[in-house]
Amino acid sequence: MTMNGSPASSCSRSWSISEDSLRRYVHFASESCIQELLSASDSDRFGDGNDVWKVVTLDNGVEISKRRSGSLYTFRSRRLLRSVSPQQFITVANAIDAAKQWDSDLVEARYLKDVDDNLSIIRLRFGDHSKPLFRNREFIVYERRETMEDGTLVVAVASLPKEIAAGLQPKQSNSIRGLLLQSGWVVEKLEDDSCMVTYVVQLDPAGWLPKCFVNRLNTKLVMIIENLRKLAQSCPTEADHT
């Protein structure tokens, strides 16, 4: 692993690492993210402590809850989707389609490289006309997809460390590199081709934002699942291919 940039300017540092080192790091980081997602989907503990989920609202069948994580909050949305199979939903529950639901002014969303069969590096960039939460921000994230032994489908998405991200994709001078600390989907199969969907996100947009904009996460979390549900229902089912 090599480092570029002077000690006096840490914001310009970048790490150039081998493909094998990148693969090992992302596998390790994404495994931790997957376990956090599974824990969040299992947890029904509510209360006022820092380690419990507090229900914020119930809107359009979507339960929104939050939990303090240091100085930030982790948000969780859950909804039962009837007549939508896990396979249908997971086809649209990826980093790029989800980013489009966060902000329709997504300027760029592209795969930078495949680290493994189920593991990719993606760049998400939002432009001048994006909503305040994402304006002029970009994210370099990994996306990992796993099927657990019980058939539960998990998609884990989180930012790479800034130095590694800079080595893969130099930051544009007119953008701010935000951090998607933890996010992803857990899709549990139920009877009658239905599923329980849990979406978790912890975002540091890198820059001060008015509290009212952060609070809009609640509304957006409801819309994300609803919009992806509509996309999923338009996807062909396995029965359509038989």
Side-chain angles (χ1 to χ4, degrees):
M1 177 171 60
T2 60
M3 178 183 294
N4 301 315
S6 65
S9 180
S10 60
C11 62
S12 64
R13 287 180 180 176
S14 65
W15 293 348
S16 176
I17 64 176
S18 68
E19 291 288 330
D20 184 59
S21 295
L22 177 63
R23 183 180 297 106
R24 284 189 284 110
Y25 169 79
V26 178
H27 267 288
F28 176 81
S30 59
E31 187 62 35
S32 175
C33 186
I34 286 173
Q35 295 306 316
E36 289 288 339
L37 292 172
L38 290 171
S39 176
S41 69
D42 263 347
S43 176
D44 286 316
R45 297 177 300 154
F46 302 108
D48 298 322
N50 289 343
D51 294 329
V52 293
W53 294 97
K54 181 179 179 180
V55 176
V56 177
T57 185
L58 183 62
D59 186 357
N60 196 29
V62 181
E63 176 197 276
I64 307 295
S65 52
K66 67 179 180 180
R67 181 176 68 185
R68 181 176 289 278
S69 304
S71 61
L72 302 172
Y73 277 103
T74 301
F75 288 85
R76 179 184 72 176
S77 56
R78 307 174 80 181
R79 181 176 178 180
L80 170 63
L81 299 184
R82 300 192 182 280
S83 301
V84 177
S85 70
Q87 288 74 21
Q88 281 179 282
F89 188 81
I90 215 70
T91 58
V92 296
N94 56 62
I96 290 178
D97 280 336
K100 291 176 182 176
Q101 308 309 318
W102 277 111
D103 195 325
S104 58
D105 292 317
L106 182 67
V107 172
E108 181 181 4
R110 65 186 177 93
Y111 286 90
L112 295 178
K113 65 166 54 188
D114 291 326
V115 179
D116 221 327
D117 290 341
N118 63 337
L119 190 55
S120 302
I121 307 298
I122 299 172
R123 183 191 188 201
L124 305 171
R125 185 166 67 89
F126 301 85
D128 296 340
H129 302 294
S130 292
K131 298 174 180 62
L133 189 62
F134 292 95
R135 187 171 297 153
N136 289 328
R137 284 167 171 79
E138 66 174 7
F139 301 84
I140 307 298
V141 302
Y142 64 73
E143 176 186 75
R144 179 174 171 182
R145 296 165 169 264
E146 286 290 346
T147 301
M148 313 312 291
E149 290 184 0
D150 63 356
T152 296
L153 303 176
V154 184
V155 179
V157 182
S159 288
L160 293 176
K162 288 186 176 181
E163 294 85 356
I164 295 178
L168 294 173
Q169 180 72 43
K171 185 182 77 68
Q172 293 193 347
S173 60
N174 62 342
S175 66
I176 301 169
R177 185 153 285 177
L179 286 176
L180 190 57
L181 300 175
Q182 172 186 296
S183 74
W185 303 92
V186 177
V187 186
E188 302 168 78
K189 180 177 175 57
L190 304 176
E191 296 179 354
D192 302 324
D193 255 348
S194 298
C195 61
M196 175 63 76
V197 173
T198 301
Y199 181 50
V200 177
V201 62
Q202 184 184 33
L203 174 73
D204 181 355
W208 180 84
L209 291 171
K211 186 176 181 179
C212 62
F213 289 126
V214 178
N215 289 341
R216 290 179 186 175
L217 278 170
N218 294 341
T219 302
K220 186 61 73 171
L221 285 168
V222 173
M223 293 174 58
I224 285 175
I225 290 185
E226 174 62 15
N227 291 343
L228 293 181
R229 179 190 67 82
K230 293 176 180 177
L231 287 175
Q233 286 186 321
S234 67
C235 292
T237 64
E238 293 182 3
D240 295 330
H241 296 289
T242 60

